[in-house]
Amino acid sequence: MEQMLSTNQAEELSAIRQSCKARQRYAQIQMIALVAMAAVVIAFVLLLMPRASAALAQVDAVVGELASVDFAGMAERVDALVAQSSASMEEAMEGLDTGLADLYRALAVLEGVDLQSLNESIASLSAILEPLARLFGGEA
């Protein structure tokens, strides 16, 4: 029985040793994986740092340019330009209205002219002027 106990104890001791060795290997694998991940992260950061610095420099430049822009003054100039074009447009519309009114008056005058009577008057005047032209030696 003593031998059995010692065999059982030896087997248990062997199992415990194997378990400890397995845990050590597992811990070593975890350590290697952690070091590899840290190396990848460090490489990634080292590769991205120059690009990030360049991007930050560009952002700083843009922010500097935006800070130097006078947005309030620009808005005032745009408002003034809109007001000026609105006034110019109103003046142009007034001039157009005046021109159209003059055109309508001219058309009314032309419509009032009796072309038949005008033609008859020109023919009568021509009939009167022909004898006078012959009298003064002109050709008719």
Side-chain angles (χ1 to χ4, degrees):
M1 185 131 158
E2 238 178 73
Q3 229 178 5
M4 238 186 187
L5 281 178
S6 57
T7 307
N8 282 341
Q9 286 176 347
E11 288 176 5
E12 285 179 19
L13 189 57
S14 177
I16 291 172
R17 283 183 187 152
Q18 287 177 355
S19 175
C20 285
K21 286 182 183 179
R23 285 183 185 168
Q24 284 177 345
R25 282 189 212 121
Y26 181 71
Q28 287 174 347
I29 291 172
Q30 283 182 332
M31 186 59 80
I32 291 170
L34 184 62
V35 169
M37 285 177 29
V40 168
V41 168
I42 290 171
F44 187 70
V45 167
L46 290 176
L47 289 175
L48 286 182
M49 286 304 276
R51 290 182 182 171
S53 295
L56 285 175
Q58 289 176 347
V59 167
D60 284 342
V62 169
V63 167
E65 288 178 19
L66 287 175
S68 68
V69 173
D70 180 21
F71 288 108
M74 189 185 308
E76 289 174 5
R77 288 189 296 275
V78 168
D79 286 344
L81 183 61
V82 167
Q84 182 182 4
S85 20
S86 181
S88 298
M89 191 67 145
E90 288 175 9
E91 290 176 9
M93 292 303 286
E94 288 174 6
L96 184 61
D97 287 343
T98 303
L100 284 175
D102 291 343
L103 181 62
Y104 284 133
R105 280 194 297 262
L107 284 174
V109 168
L110 286 176
E111 286 176 353
V113 172
D114 183 10
L115 293 178
Q116 184 64 31
S117 299
L118 182 61
N119 283 338
E120 290 173 4
S121 298
I122 291 172
S124 298
L125 182 60
S126 178
I128 293 172
L129 290 178
E130 273 184 36
L132 288 175
R134 278 186 288 209
L135 180 68
F136 289 111
E139 293 184 22

